[in-house]
Amino acid sequence: MNQLNLCDVLTANCILTDQEGTPLDPLSPGSVSCKEIPQQNGRQDVTKTLPSGEVIILQQVSVQISGFFIIEITGPGTTCRSQVLPFCFNETYLLCAPEGTELECHLTQFDCRAQLNCQDGLVTSVNLFLTTCQDIQMVTDTVINIPAEWCTPRQELNLNRCSMKLPNQCPEIFPSTTISEESQGNVNANKSTNDTSVSSNHILQNELACLSTSKVYDWIVSPNTYQLNFNVDDLVLDCDNPPCDAHLFVHAAYVCEGDLQGQVLCGDIPVDGAEVSLSAAPDIVTFSPETTLTDANGNFDTNLTIPPGTPPTSVTITANTFVSGLPITTSLDTIVECQGPCLIELFTTDVIECDGFVEGRVMCGGTPIEGATIQVTSDSSDVTFAHDQIITGTDGNFFVGVTVEPGTSLQTITIDASTIVEGQNVSSSIDTQIVCPDDLCVLTLDVPANINCEAVITGSIDCDGPISGADVTLSSFPDILTFSPNPTLSLNGNFSTTVTVQENTPLTSVLITATTMVNGETVSTHVGTDVECPAQEECPCKFRIGIQGNRAPATVNITQQGVPSTLEGTINVTAVECFTAAPMCNPAVDNFNITFRSGGTTINFVQGRRVHIDCTANTARVHGTAMASGNLFDDIFDVEIILTLLPGNMGTWQINARDLLGNSFSTTFTARLSPITFIGDCNQRP
């Protein structure tokens, strides 16, 4: 890695200003103060002998030169300015300056040159070289007299004639004036010099003019050179578009805890050893560590924790650092929340008609709990569950099919889910209504409690007797399974199909649904199960993708309770999958989030966990599940995010999300990407 030397790309200049930092013309009056410094015992006499041998007495005069300036540091596309800095220099001169004289001083030259000093490639200090030239006089006010006499101007020579009429003179001042008869009328003022039609026979007299002026007792011109040095850490610099920058990667949302990543670069060269401090506003986030150092690649990271009981809250996260004394600050917005230590979130439909489902997720401190055994019960004997126990997948999700006994009248029941997590008994309840007439067809599914890569599932359709020739269509949520054949045909009421789990699928809870039509009526059933198909390569690639500024305009299409609509607002999308800065993949890295706002409407998909990811040279895709929150949706969604890279650090995003209740969210938009977006193979470094 080449060592960056900021002195090769930055230049410094100093600018004379007033106390407020407004630039001044160095030679304009008052731009630089030059005044005498009064001495306690007055000016001291100093005896000097001239080369001629003559002994003279001069006075010692102390002069102060002072003003203000700023240091300006410029580089490619950047300008940084320091705070206003004062300067003050004292000089002593031997002058003829007897008592009663005053100093008059002004600058005839002011030059300032700045030089940056670097060590190990970083700016450590700034040298300033000031050159001045003072015009110094010792003066006092005096009155002088000048002999003078009145005079009369000659006639102007002009070939063109124009007439004028002379006004009468004042006889008290000009008692004797002779004007010819011709001059009594219109007089030509442009006659030749021999034309005496206008007489000049005034009486002339001498006058004595007295003037007040300054008497100069001594006068010198003094050039001086001064040098100042400033440690760059002592300068407060304000930069626009600084040459060095800190890039933050802040997730669109955090639940209880999460990671934060970033990189410090000067141009395209990473900065090693920069101290980065993190803060949040409002101050409800704890960073560990709160101050972190960049590595040889300029990367830094930290973990943040949100206290339990925090509702969804908008937070601005800020990173601050210094590179060669240049301050670098960057901020991004996110949403944080932490509802509790361990909990089970339960969802179902308002009414279960003969057949339905319960879905949920187990979380502890914002972390999905894999492998928790969920016990599902009900307070009604009219309800049975396809599996009364089910294991949560890697994303903490679980799905349970619910069957209502035919002939059950409309009633309200309570469904309970419980588990033991980290030694804690955790439970949750949800109320719903059930109903099932006694004359409906019954569709059943026999699904293993766990499917490893492939399995055969069977079922039956009965309407007061077995039904042959019914096409039974199968599907899964999330949509990660394939069925062959699909649809499958019932024979004597029975049917079967082979389910295949896509390779590289981690332990995932899914809901398998079978649907058919009998006599124009739709009949369906649901069964929850766990599926997986691990492979040696858990991560086919890695990526870290996000939107610059954590916000972009977007138009989304939604369906809520069967009603479609369109919303315009701002969206933020982040996804970090298998990413690490090292030449490898880290399967433990798994997080994607989406936040959308439109006026008072908020739609968030948080705690996103992948089922599959894949990449090409310019495309990243993640498919998985996430929890919906906000004021429209609040259950588990099947989510797909696709980013296609475009020239100019732009990208096109496609997002599709749906839940088991028929709600959906979709959008396609183009936005500028986070500067540290990366899509690549596991052996690549970002």
Side-chain angles (χ1 to χ4, degrees):
M1 181 184 68
N2 294 328
Q3 176 66 47
L4 172 71
N5 190 340
L6 285 180
C7 287
D8 293 338
V9 298
L10 299 177
T11 58
N13 185 30
C14 55
I15 301 172
L16 185 68
T17 70
D18 61 16
Q19 193 169 359
E20 304 302 321
T22 303
L24 298 175
D25 179 358
L27 301 184
S28 63
S31 59
V32 176
S33 173
C34 182
K35 62 183 181 180
E36 182 178 0
I37 306 173
Q39 302 301 309
Q40 184 175 1
N41 298 320
R43 300 169 186 163
Q44 301 299 308
D45 291 340
V46 177
T47 301
K48 288 291 183 180
T49 303
L50 299 179
S52 63
E54 181 183 357
V55 177
I56 63 172
I57 298 177
L58 299 177
Q59 284 72 44
Q60 185 172 282
V61 179
S62 296
V63 178
Q64 183 183 83
I65 303 163
S66 62
F68 301 91
F69 63 89
I70 61 173
I71 298 174
E72 185 177 72
I73 299 175
T74 58
T78 184
T79 300
C80 299
R81 296 176 179 85
S82 74
Q83 76 274 37
V84 178
L85 300 167
F87 66 88
C88 182
F89 310 112
N90 295 333
E91 297 288 346
T92 300
Y93 300 99
L94 291 179
L95 300 170
C96 178
E99 185 176 352
T101 56
E102 295 180 353
L103 176 78
E104 282 190 359
C105 175
H106 66 275
L107 265 66
T108 59
Q109 181 183 355
F110 180 90
D111 295 316
C112 184
R113 181 172 61 87
Q115 174 185 299
L116 296 177
N117 301 312
C118 285
Q119 184 176 354
D120 296 329
L122 301 181
V123 179
T124 56
S125 62
V126 183
N127 288 337
L128 294 183
F129 304 93
L130 282 76
T131 300
T132 66
C133 190
Q134 292 84 244
D135 189 314
I136 298 173
Q137 298 180 12
M138 297 306 302
V139 302
T140 189
D141 290 338
T142 188
V143 176
I144 63 174
N145 59 66
I146 301 175
E149 65 179 16
W150 296 104
C151 63
T152 302
R154 67 172 175 81
Q155 294 287 345
E156 180 184 2
L157 297 179
N158 196 324
L159 297 179
N160 297 322
R161 291 177 176 271
C162 60
S163 60
M164 60 177 287
K165 187 157 185 151
L166 295 175
N168 293 328
Q169 298 283 3
C170 300
E172 294 81 0
I173 302 176
F174 303 99
S176 177
T177 302
T178 303
I179 301 178
S180 66
E181 287 184 1
E182 184 180 353
S183 69
Q184 297 297 321
N186 292 332
V187 180
N188 188 332
N190 299 304
K191 293 183 179 181
S192 68
T193 55
N194 296 323
D195 191 344
T196 59
S197 59
V198 178
S199 177
S200 300
N201 297 328
H202 306 309
I203 298 175
L204 302 179
Q205 63 182 16
N206 292 332
E207 295 287 343
L208 187 63
C210 294
L211 302 177
S212 177
T213 186
S214 294
K215 180 179 179 180
V216 178
Y217 281 72
D218 207 344
W219 183 3
I220 64 171
V221 175
S222 175
N224 293 289
T225 300
Y226 309 100
Q227 181 173 344
L228 298 174
N229 180 271
F230 294 91
N231 190 314
V232 73
D233 292 332
D234 296 332
L235 296 177
V236 179
L237 297 173
D238 181 22
C239 300
D240 52 4
N241 193 27
C244 302
D245 201 2
H247 302 296
L248 270 182
F249 192 90
V250 175
H251 294 288
Y254 290 88
V255 178
C256 296
E257 62 182 10
D259 68 307
L260 180 149
Q261 305 164 4
Q263 189 177 33
V264 179
L265 298 171
C266 288
D268 58 354
I269 302 176
V271 177
D272 185 8
E275 189 176 88
V276 183
S277 60
L278 286 306
S279 61
D283 187 15
I284 58 174
V285 175
T286 301
F287 298 95
S288 179
E290 189 171 316
T291 300
T292 181
L293 293 177
T294 58
D295 62 16
N297 297 309
N299 296 315
F300 64 90
D301 59 70
T302 187
N303 293 312
L304 55 86
T305 304
I306 300 99
T310 301
T313 305
S314 296
V315 169
T316 300
I317 294 178
T318 300
N320 291 286
T321 188
F322 287 86
V323 177
S324 293
L326 302 178
I328 300 173
T329 299
T330 185
S331 298
L332 287 178
D333 295 332
T334 186
I335 294 175
V336 301
E337 63 177 293
C338 189
Q339 302 293 349
C342 287
L343 55 88
I344 299 176
E345 298 170 302
L346 280 181
F347 309 96
T348 188
T349 55
D350 293 334
V351 180
I352 299 176
E353 296 184 18
C354 297
D355 180 81
F357 59 88
V358 173
E359 57 179 320
R361 172 174 279 192
V362 180
M363 305 288 294
C364 282
T367 302
I369 301 301
E370 176 185 356
T373 301
I374 307 298
Q375 182 81 31
V376 183
T377 60
S378 169
D379 61 355
S380 173
S381 59
D382 296 323
V383 170
T384 57
F385 302 98
H387 299 294
D388 57 2
Q389 285 189 348
I390 194 164
I391 306 298
T392 58
T394 55
D395 53 6
N397 292 352
F398 64 89
F399 298 93
V400 178
V402 180
T403 300
V404 181
E405 188 72 20
T408 300
S409 60
L410 183 66
Q411 58 184 281
T412 300
I413 66 167
T414 299
I415 297 175
D416 298 305
S418 61
T419 187
I420 298 176
V421 180
E422 299 177 357
Q424 304 177 47
N425 291 314
V426 184
S427 63
S428 181
S429 299
I430 189 170
D431 291 337
T432 186
Q433 291 184 309
I434 59 171
V435 64
C436 188
D438 58 7
D439 56 352
L440 290 185
C441 299
V442 176
L443 181 62
T444 64
L445 271 181
D446 184 12
V447 178
N450 181 275
I451 299 174
N452 194 320
C453 294
E454 185 177 284
V456 174
I457 60 176
T458 60
S460 64
I461 175 70
D462 188 285
C463 297
D464 290 330
I467 300 296
S468 295
D471 285 332
V472 181
T473 302
L474 294 109
S475 62
S476 70
F477 182 93
D479 187 13
I480 59 174
L481 306 180
T482 58
F483 303 90
S484 181
N486 191 23
T488 180
L489 192 66
S490 66
L491 179 63
N492 295 325
N494 299 316
F495 61 87
S496 67
T497 188
T498 299
V499 59
T500 302
V501 184
Q502 184 176 335
E503 189 179 18
N504 294 328
T505 299
L507 181 65
T508 305
S509 185
V510 301
L511 187 70
I512 296 176
T513 301
T515 304
T516 189
M517 296 283 293
V518 178
N519 299 325
E521 297 290 337
T522 300
V523 184
S524 63
T525 189
H526 303 79
V527 176
T529 187
D530 293 310
V531 303
E532 61 182 322
C533 191
Q536 292 183 350
E537 185 183 34
E538 289 187 72
C539 294
C541 59
K542 62 182 178 182
F543 54 82
R544 175 177 61 191
I545 56 177
I547 297 171
Q548 181 170 304
N550 275 23
R551 179 179 297 183
T555 300
V556 304
N557 300 310
I558 67 170
T559 301
Q560 183 191 23
Q561 297 179 351
V563 179
S565 62
T566 300
L567 296 174
E568 293 185 356
T570 58
I571 195 169
N572 184 22
V573 186
T574 57
V576 185
E577 298 295 340
C578 295
F579 179 83
T580 176
M584 57 175 288
C585 278
N586 184 357
V589 176
D590 178 18
N591 194 348
F592 64 85
N593 299 277
I594 303 166
T595 61
F596 175 78
R597 293 181 179 179
S598 175
T601 300
T602 300
I603 302 173
N604 302 324
F605 299 103
V606 300
Q607 302 169 323
R609 295 295 182 267
R610 70 175 180 266
V611 177
H612 298 118
I613 63 169
D614 54 74
C615 315
T616 64
N618 64 343
T619 302
R621 172 183 174 271
V622 56
H623 178 208
T625 60
M627 287 297 302
S629 63
N631 52 17
L632 284 188
F633 306 135
D634 62 353
D635 60 342
I636 301 171
F637 271 66
D638 181 350
V639 181
E640 181 185 52
I641 300 172
I642 302 174
L643 169 63
T644 302
L645 302 183
L646 301 174
N649 200 38
M650 300 290 291
T652 296
W653 300 79
Q654 295 174 267
I655 300 173
N656 293 286
R658 66 182 182 91
D659 68 0
L660 283 166
L661 306 178
N663 300 312
S664 66
F665 174 101
S666 65
T667 183
T668 299
F669 64 94
T670 299
R672 190 168 296 278
L673 301 177
S674 165
I676 52 177
T677 287
F678 173 84
I679 302 172
D681 296 331
C682 288
N683 59 1
Q684 290 181 303
R685 289 182 180 272

